Structure formats: C-alpha cells, structure tokens
Amino acid sequence: MLSVLALTSVVLLGIASQITAIVVYTSWERHALVGSDVRLSCSFFSWQWTSPDVTFSWQYRPDGAKEGISIFHYGGGAAYVDNKGPFRDRLEFVGNPSRRDGSILIKNLDFSDNGTFTCDAKNPPDIVGRPSSVRLLVFEKVNLTSQCSFSGICRLGWEEKMRTFPVPVQAGVVTGAIIGVVLGLLILIVAIYYLMRFLVARRVFSLSMSKHGKKGKGKEGSQQKQVLAVTDPVKLKAAASEKKKQESRREKK
Amino acid sequence: MLAILLATIVLHLTDLIILFISTCANAWRTDGVANYDLWYDCTQRNGGYNCRGTNDADWLQAVQALMVLATIFCLISFIFFLCQLFTLVKGGRFFFTAVFQVLASLFVMSGAIIYTVMSPEWKNENDTYGYAFVLAWLAFPLTLISGFIYIVLRKKE
C-alpha cells in the first residue's frame, strides 16, 4: 500500500516538474539610507532538486534608463561580482545557493543607486521562468512627521529629503493674494473715478459761483446738488427729487 | 429688439452658470473613478484619505484665484448690465458691462492656459481632463463674445 502511494507521488512529481516553471522571489521594494548597506534577497521555487549547476544573476537598471547591466553572476559553484561597473568593491555575495538563496549585499549606498534590481535564477533542468525585480529607493535621513489638515484627516508619513527643495508656500496664500490685489485695485479705481468726478464737479461749481455772484449763501447746498445732477445723468431722478424737496423748503420759508 | 435683449441675457446667464460650475466643481482632472483638482487632490488608501496639498503647486493656487475672479467679474458685469439697462441714456453703450465681461473672459483664459500648461507634470499617467476643465475652456469664448456684444450694443427706446 505505502509503496504504491510513494510510487504515485513520485510519478506525479515527475509530471508536475514538466508542467510548472521555476518561480523566482525577491522583495517588491527596498528602502535604505544613504551610506548604509542593503541586502537584496532572491530565492526560487522549483519542483526539481537543487542542482549543483544552479545559477543566480543580478541585473541593475538605473531609474530612467532603458537597459540594465549585469552586476552579479553565480554559476558553476563560483560567485562573480561586479568589478568594472557602478558597484565595484561594493558588492558581496551573502547567499547560500544550496539553500536556494541568491542574496547580495550592496555597501555604502548613494543616490545614484536608485533603480531596479532584477534577479534571475536557473535550476537545471528547470530553466523556464521569469526573473523578479526589486526596486531600491535611497533616502537621506528620515524624520517621522504627521500632518493634520483642516478637516481632521491626519497623514502620517516620512519626510523625504532627496535634495533641497525651496520653501513651499502655504496653501491658499497665492490665491488670496491674487484675489485681494485684483479686487483692491478694482475698488481703488472705482474710488478714484468717483473722486475725480467729485473734484471736477467742485471746480465747475466754483466757476458757476463766480458767474452768479451773490445769490445767497443759503442756496449753496442746492446749487452744488444741481451742478452734480447736470454732470451725472445717472443720478437725474435722485437730483430731481432733491430739487423738489429744496423748493418746497424755500416756499415754506 | 426684445429678442436681442433676451438672447444677450440668456448668453450672459449661461456664461455665469458655466463659470460657477467650473470654479466650484472639483473635477478638472479625473482618473475614471475619482475627480481631482483645483480645490483638493485626495485619494483613498487603506481606508484613509491621502491628500496632496497645493503647497508645491503655486500655479494651482493662481488658477484658483483666476477662476474665482472671473466668476466674480462676470457676476458684477451682470449686475451692471441690469443697472445700466434702466439708467443708461438713450443711444448709450453698455461700457462698464463690456469691460467687466471682457476682463472675466481674460481671467478665465489665463486660468485655463496655466492649468493646461502646468498640469502634465502634476497629474498621474492615466488621468484625463474632467468636465470642469472643458467648461472653463468653453467659458472663455462665450464670455468674450458676450463682452463684444455689449461693446456693440446700444440702448434704444
């Protein structure tokens, strides 16, 4: 009975290894501080036993670049690290291939190390599979901050200082400034316009005063209003009603 | 005569409504699910809201200001129009109305242009422009035409 079970499982394993491919695992994203070391882990799943000819390859593609370069290779039992590229003297192999671990250690990180690292593992005869990528983000010293907005929504986050940014303007300052200046100018122009009209009317009034001579100082107010009415057609109705009031007052006197 | 007057009023009111909607609706940019921009840019993540402030985007604050000013000026020009309709001398032109309406159209043009030029670096890859943005660009020629009509229009008996 047991032997039959063992036989079936071996046969199934054999079949499965023909169907499924090798699956490579890495992290999704790694964050690290400038100057520190980061360990990029890579492992794989395969139905086959770990072969002595297992290979691990690491490729590096900087942010914004189209192509990547090869920086690490493990094959034939020996590890070959980058000795010409951007990681020379900074790369170390810290994995254990017999335990399916192909991790590398990058020392003394810099901002130029931002990019995508791709690990490709092959376990002969299981060689069909997709490589896996891990994104590396290099930060300067991090400060934990929390920002609470007006509506009470708090956002806890890392303050990332990749490079020095100019001091940001508070939200709404520019908006308020533009609106205030334009409306202020508008009110100023309207005020100046009416002031000019008033001044012109006064000058016309003083001319007419000298013309009419001494007609009584009691009528100063009414004359001024009459002159204003002449120069401002919009206020015709108002001036007319004023005239009537004054005439009625004079009649009463 | 009455037809022209009614058409002018309808055009002006349409402009006003379009400007109001474009300014107040937070839909200058959309990613198909949510609307962003002009007043807030918030996405929902893990049950909470993650909002992008306008601290880094001075141009967005300028667009806000220009749209608000355009709406205010369009409203002022409408009030002026109603005033001048009853108080203007026969044969006079609707000067103040025209000035404010043209200024409103210039403001909305500036706001729309600034947003069009600066938004590609602000928005995400898959975002498209929302209806408020389209309305802003629509408001510009409508207000300009309305302003020119007021320049040409004369008050008759």
Side-chain angles (χ1 to χ4, degrees), chain B residues 39-56:
Chain B
W39 299 110
Y40 58 86
D41 180 355
C42 297
T43 46
Q44 206 174 13
R45 268 191 209 129
N46 302 331
Y49 280 98
N50 201 342
C51 292
R52 256 214 288 193
T54 48
N55 299 343
D56 309 319

PDB file of all heavy atoms in Angstrom, chain B residues 39-56:
ATOM      1  N   TRP B  39      -9.369  72.232  -6.148  1.00  0.00           N
ATOM      2  CA  TRP B  39      -9.503  72.553  -4.723  1.00  0.00           C
ATOM      3  C   TRP B  39      -8.878  71.494  -3.829  1.00  0.00           C
ATOM      4  O   TRP B  39      -8.284  71.817  -2.814  1.00  0.00           O
ATOM      5  CB  TRP B  39     -10.971  72.760  -4.340  1.00  0.00           C
ATOM      6  CG  TRP B  39     -11.548  73.883  -5.114  1.00  0.00           C
ATOM      7  CD1 TRP B  39     -12.482  73.796  -6.107  1.00  0.00           C
ATOM      8  CD2 TRP B  39     -11.201  75.263  -5.039  1.00  0.00           C
ATOM      9  NE1 TRP B  39     -12.738  75.032  -6.617  1.00  0.00           N
ATOM     10  CE2 TRP B  39     -11.976  75.959  -5.986  1.00  0.00           C
ATOM     11  CE3 TRP B  39     -10.309  75.992  -4.253  1.00  0.00           C
ATOM     12  CZ2 TRP B  39     -11.883  77.333  -6.163  1.00  0.00           C
ATOM     13  CZ3 TRP B  39     -10.216  77.374  -4.437  1.00  0.00           C
ATOM     14  CH2 TRP B  39     -11.005  78.019  -5.373  1.00  0.00           C
ATOM     15  N   TYR B  40      -9.037  70.218  -4.182  1.00  0.00           N
ATOM     16  CA  TYR B  40      -8.334  69.209  -3.404  1.00  0.00           C
ATOM     17  C   TYR B  40      -7.999  68.017  -4.289  1.00  0.00           C
ATOM     18  O   TYR B  40      -8.613  67.790  -5.321  1.00  0.00           O
ATOM     19  CB  TYR B  40      -9.141  68.760  -2.181  1.00  0.00           C
ATOM     20  CG  TYR B  40     -10.496  68.196  -2.490  1.00  0.00           C
ATOM     21  CD1 TYR B  40     -10.672  66.862  -2.802  1.00  0.00           C
ATOM     22  CD2 TYR B  40     -11.620  69.009  -2.435  1.00  0.00           C
ATOM     23  CE1 TYR B  40     -11.921  66.350  -3.080  1.00  0.00           C
ATOM     24  CE2 TYR B  40     -12.870  68.502  -2.707  1.00  0.00           C
ATOM     25  CZ  TYR B  40     -13.014  67.178  -3.023  1.00  0.00           C
ATOM     26  OH  TYR B  40     -14.244  66.687  -3.292  1.00  0.00           O
ATOM     27  N   ASP B  41      -6.990  67.291  -3.863  1.00  0.00           N
ATOM     28  CA  ASP B  41      -6.498  66.160  -4.649  1.00  0.00           C
ATOM     29  C   ASP B  41      -6.302  65.010  -3.664  1.00  0.00           C
ATOM     30  O   ASP B  41      -5.208  64.792  -3.156  1.00  0.00           O
ATOM     31  CB  ASP B  41      -5.175  66.555  -5.309  1.00  0.00           C
ATOM     32  CG  ASP B  41      -4.595  65.457  -6.148  1.00  0.00           C
ATOM     33  OD1 ASP B  41      -5.156  64.348  -6.149  1.00  0.00           O
ATOM     34  OD2 ASP B  41      -3.562  65.696  -6.799  1.00  0.00           O
ATOM     35  N   CYS B  42      -7.391  64.297  -3.382  1.00  0.00           N
ATOM     36  CA  CYS B  42      -7.337  63.269  -2.349  1.00  0.00           C
ATOM     37  C   CYS B  42      -7.647  61.899  -2.940  1.00  0.00           C
ATOM     38  O   CYS B  42      -8.576  61.754  -3.716  1.00  0.00           O
ATOM     39  CB  CYS B  42      -8.359  63.555  -1.244  1.00  0.00           C
ATOM     40  SG  CYS B  42      -8.033  65.090  -0.370  1.00  0.00           S
ATOM     41  N   THR B  43      -6.828  60.926  -2.549  1.00  0.00           N
ATOM     42  CA  THR B  43      -7.123  59.548  -2.948  1.00  0.00           C
ATOM     43  C   THR B  43      -7.344  58.731  -1.685  1.00  0.00           C
ATOM     44  O   THR B  43      -6.788  59.017  -0.635  1.00  0.00           O
ATOM     45  CB  THR B  43      -5.953  58.942  -3.728  1.00  0.00           C
ATOM     46  OG1 THR B  43      -4.751  59.255  -3.039  1.00  0.00           O
ATOM     47  CG2 THR B  43      -5.886  59.466  -5.128  1.00  0.00           C
ATOM     48  N   GLN B  44      -8.134  57.694  -1.834  1.00  0.00           N
ATOM     49  CA  GLN B  44      -8.444  56.872  -0.674  1.00  0.00           C
ATOM     50  C   GLN B  44      -7.500  55.687  -0.657  1.00  0.00           C
ATOM     51  O   GLN B  44      -7.423  54.925  -1.624  1.00  0.00           O
ATOM     52  CB  GLN B  44      -9.893  56.392  -0.769  1.00  0.00           C
ATOM     53  CG  GLN B  44     -10.487  56.103   0.592  1.00  0.00           C
ATOM     54  CD  GLN B  44     -11.943  55.776   0.492  1.00  0.00           C
ATOM     55  OE1 GLN B  44     -12.460  55.538  -0.582  1.00  0.00           O
ATOM     56  NE2 GLN B  44     -12.620  55.757   1.611  1.00  0.00           N
ATOM     57  N   ARG B  45      -6.754  55.547   0.438  1.00  0.00           N
ATOM     58  CA  ARG B  45      -5.810  54.443   0.515  1.00  0.00           C
ATOM     59  C   ARG B  45      -5.950  53.770   1.849  1.00  0.00           C
ATOM     60  O   ARG B  45      -5.825  54.398   2.889  1.00  0.00           O
ATOM     61  CB  ARG B  45      -4.388  54.992   0.395  1.00  0.00           C
ATOM     62  CG  ARG B  45      -3.908  54.990  -1.027  1.00  0.00           C
ATOM     63  CD  ARG B  45      -2.451  55.265  -1.140  1.00  0.00           C
ATOM     64  NE  ARG B  45      -2.205  55.913  -2.413  1.00  0.00           N
ATOM     65  CZ  ARG B  45      -1.521  57.030  -2.583  1.00  0.00           C
ATOM     66  NH1 ARG B  45      -1.006  57.629  -1.553  1.00  0.00           N
ATOM     67  NH2 ARG B  45      -1.357  57.552  -3.771  1.00  0.00           N
ATOM     68  N   ASN B  46      -6.171  52.458   1.840  1.00  0.00           N
ATOM     69  CA  ASN B  46      -6.241  51.673   3.089  1.00  0.00           C
ATOM     70  C   ASN B  46      -7.269  52.230   4.053  1.00  0.00           C
ATOM     71  O   ASN B  46      -7.042  52.267   5.256  1.00  0.00           O
ATOM     72  CB  ASN B  46      -4.880  51.648   3.797  1.00  0.00           C
ATOM     73  CG  ASN B  46      -3.809  51.074   2.898  1.00  0.00           C
ATOM     74  OD1 ASN B  46      -4.096  50.261   2.039  1.00  0.00           O
ATOM     75  ND2 ASN B  46      -2.591  51.523   3.088  1.00  0.00           N
ATOM     76  N   GLY B  47      -8.390  52.707   3.508  1.00  0.00           N
ATOM     77  CA  GLY B  47      -9.443  53.207   4.377  1.00  0.00           C
ATOM     78  C   GLY B  47      -9.284  54.673   4.754  1.00  0.00           C
ATOM     79  O   GLY B  47     -10.211  55.272   5.261  1.00  0.00           O
ATOM     80  N   GLY B  48      -8.102  55.249   4.557  1.00  0.00           N
ATOM     81  CA  GLY B  48      -7.934  56.658   4.893  1.00  0.00           C
ATOM     82  C   GLY B  48      -7.739  57.495   3.652  1.00  0.00           C
ATOM     83  O   GLY B  48      -7.611  56.983   2.549  1.00  0.00           O
ATOM     84  N   TYR B  49      -7.714  58.810   3.822  1.00  0.00           N
ATOM     85  CA  TYR B  49      -7.519  59.709   2.696  1.00  0.00           C
ATOM     86  C   TYR B  49      -6.102  60.228   2.683  1.00  0.00           C
ATOM     87  O   TYR B  49      -5.553  60.579   3.717  1.00  0.00           O
ATOM     88  CB  TYR B  49      -8.492  60.892   2.785  1.00  0.00           C
ATOM     89  CG  TYR B  49      -9.863  60.544   2.308  1.00  0.00           C
ATOM     90  CD1 TYR B  49     -10.860  60.198   3.207  1.00  0.00           C
ATOM     91  CD2 TYR B  49     -10.169  60.556   0.956  1.00  0.00           C
ATOM     92  CE1 TYR B  49     -12.113  59.879   2.772  1.00  0.00           C
ATOM     93  CE2 TYR B  49     -11.427  60.237   0.521  1.00  0.00           C
ATOM     94  CZ  TYR B  49     -12.397  59.892   1.420  1.00  0.00           C
ATOM     95  OH  TYR B  49     -13.645  59.580   1.000  1.00  0.00           O
ATOM     96  N   ASN B  50      -5.542  60.273   1.506  1.00  0.00           N
ATOM     97  CA  ASN B  50      -4.212  60.806   1.331  1.00  0.00           C
ATOM     98  C   ASN B  50      -4.335  62.007   0.411  1.00  0.00           C
ATOM     99  O   ASN B  50      -4.648  61.852  -0.763  1.00  0.00           O
ATOM    100  CB  ASN B  50      -3.324  59.740   0.696  1.00  0.00           C
ATOM    101  CG  ASN B  50      -1.877  60.024   0.939  1.00  0.00           C
ATOM    102  OD1 ASN B  50      -1.507  61.130   1.277  1.00  0.00           O
ATOM    103  ND2 ASN B  50      -1.064  59.017   0.771  1.00  0.00           N
ATOM    104  N   CYS B  51      -4.148  63.199   0.959  1.00  0.00           N
ATOM    105  CA  CYS B  51      -4.406  64.404   0.176  1.00  0.00           C
ATOM    106  C   CYS B  51      -3.120  65.096  -0.214  1.00  0.00           C
ATOM    107  O   CYS B  51      -2.192  65.210   0.583  1.00  0.00           O
ATOM    108  CB  CYS B  51      -5.268  65.380   0.972  1.00  0.00           C
ATOM    109  SG  CYS B  51      -6.919  64.766   1.232  1.00  0.00           S
ATOM    110  N   ARG B  52      -3.082  65.561  -1.421  1.00  0.00           N
ATOM    111  CA  ARG B  52      -1.932  66.335  -1.905  1.00  0.00           C
ATOM    112  C   ARG B  52      -2.272  67.800  -1.762  1.00  0.00           C
ATOM    113  O   ARG B  52      -3.270  68.271  -2.302  1.00  0.00           O
ATOM    114  CB  ARG B  52      -1.693  66.040  -3.381  1.00  0.00           C
ATOM    115  CG  ARG B  52      -0.539  65.138  -3.627  1.00  0.00           C
ATOM    116  CD  ARG B  52       0.172  65.458  -4.890  1.00  0.00           C
ATOM    117  NE  ARG B  52      -0.578  65.098  -6.070  1.00  0.00           N
ATOM    118  CZ  ARG B  52      -0.025  65.063  -7.282  1.00  0.00           C
ATOM    119  NH1 ARG B  52       1.231  65.328  -7.435  1.00  0.00           N
ATOM    120  NH2 ARG B  52      -0.766  64.766  -8.320  1.00  0.00           N
ATOM    121  N   GLY B  53      -1.461  68.516  -1.034  1.00  0.00           N
ATOM    122  CA  GLY B  53      -1.740  69.930  -0.837  1.00  0.00           C
ATOM    123  C   GLY B  53      -1.242  70.760  -1.997  1.00  0.00           C
ATOM    124  O   GLY B  53      -0.477  70.307  -2.823  1.00  0.00           O
ATOM    125  N   THR B  54      -1.690  72.033  -2.030  1.00  0.00           N
ATOM    126  CA  THR B  54      -1.246  72.924  -3.095  1.00  0.00           C
ATOM    127  C   THR B  54       0.018  73.656  -2.695  1.00  0.00           C
ATOM    128  O   THR B  54       0.362  74.664  -3.300  1.00  0.00           O
ATOM    129  CB  THR B  54      -2.343  73.948  -3.415  1.00  0.00           C
ATOM    130  OG1 THR B  54      -2.816  74.511  -2.194  1.00  0.00           O
ATOM    131  CG2 THR B  54      -3.487  73.306  -4.143  1.00  0.00           C
ATOM    132  N   ASN B  55       0.722  73.140  -1.659  1.00  0.00           N
ATOM    133  CA  ASN B  55       1.960  73.806  -1.243  1.00  0.00           C
ATOM    134  C   ASN B  55       2.996  73.798  -2.350  1.00  0.00           C
ATOM    135  O   ASN B  55       3.721  74.764  -2.553  1.00  0.00           O
ATOM    136  CB  ASN B  55       2.561  73.096  -0.033  1.00  0.00           C
ATOM    137  CG  ASN B  55       1.638  73.120   1.148  1.00  0.00           C
ATOM    138  OD1 ASN B  55       0.719  73.913   1.181  1.00  0.00           O
ATOM    139  ND2 ASN B  55       1.874  72.248   2.095  1.00  0.00           N
ATOM    140  N   ASP B  56       3.065  72.672  -3.062  1.00  0.00           N
ATOM    141  CA  ASP B  56       4.094  72.574  -4.092  1.00  0.00           C
ATOM    142  C   ASP B  56       3.631  73.141  -5.417  1.00  0.00           C
ATOM    143  O   ASP B  56       4.385  73.133  -6.375  1.00  0.00           O
ATOM    144  CB  ASP B  56       4.440  71.094  -4.323  1.00  0.00           C
ATOM    145  CG  ASP B  56       4.737  70.404  -3.024  1.00  0.00           C
ATOM    146  OD1 ASP B  56       5.408  71.030  -2.195  1.00  0.00           O
ATOM    147  OD2 ASP B  56       4.301  69.270  -2.855  1.00  0.00           O
TER     148      ASP B  56
END
